[in-house]
Amino acid sequence: ADVLEGVLQQHGLQDQVRRAAALDVWEEVVGEHIAGVTRAKGVSDATLLVEVRSSGWLMELNMMKGELLGRVNERLGEAPLERIVFVLAETG
């Protein structure tokens, strides 16, 4: 574990790995209702990308963005995210 942490730190990836934990905690942090219409897709730099099922929910979640970011960052601790981007999920 110490070796892995050293390699991640040496290559500047330690924060990115910590931020990726947002994918694992998303459903728990936002609750069952929001988790039912969203899916955390990925983390790029300090941005969490979340797919949203409908345009109505997309607008609603954009208004809640600051609150949701705060909740996620509270769980992440070190290496917080800087923003959340909501995108409409592709249907097909």
Side-chain angles (χ1 to χ4, degrees), residues 26-59:
W26 175 255
E27 291 182 12
E28 181 183 336
V29 168
V30 299
E32 185 178 329
H33 194 67
I34 292 174
V37 296
T38 62
R39 184 167 68 131
K41 290 284 290 180
V43 176
S44 178
D45 295 323
T47 301
L48 174 63
L49 179 67
V50 178
E51 278 189 341
V52 182
R53 184 179 296 171
S54 71
S55 58
W57 270 108
L58 183 72
M59 291 188 316

Side-chain angles (χ1 to χ4, degrees), residues 50-85:
V50 178
E51 278 189 341
V52 182
R53 184 179 296 171
S54 71
S55 58
W57 270 108
L58 183 72
M59 291 188 316
E60 181 75 24
L61 292 171
N62 272 316
M63 290 188 288
M64 299 173 63
K65 193 180 287 190
E67 176 188 344
L68 296 173
L69 181 61
R71 286 191 212 167
V72 172
N73 280 337
E74 194 173 294
R75 284 294 301 274
L76 293 180
E78 295 181 38
L81 294 167
E82 293 176 9
R83 63 190 197 132
I84 297 176
V85 174

Side-chain angles (χ1 to χ4, degrees), residues 1-48:
D2 291 338
V3 173
L4 178 59
E5 189 168 329
V7 170
L8 291 173
Q9 188 172 15
Q10 181 180 356
H11 293 285
L13 299 172
Q14 194 171 25
D15 285 349
Q16 193 63 16
V17 170
R18 287 182 178 142
R19 289 177 183 130
L23 301 174
D24 296 328
V25 301
W26 175 255
E27 291 182 12
E28 181 183 336
V29 168
V30 299
E32 185 178 329
H33 194 67
I34 292 174
V37 296
T38 62
R39 184 167 68 131
K41 290 284 290 180
V43 176
S44 178
D45 295 323
T47 301
L48 174 63

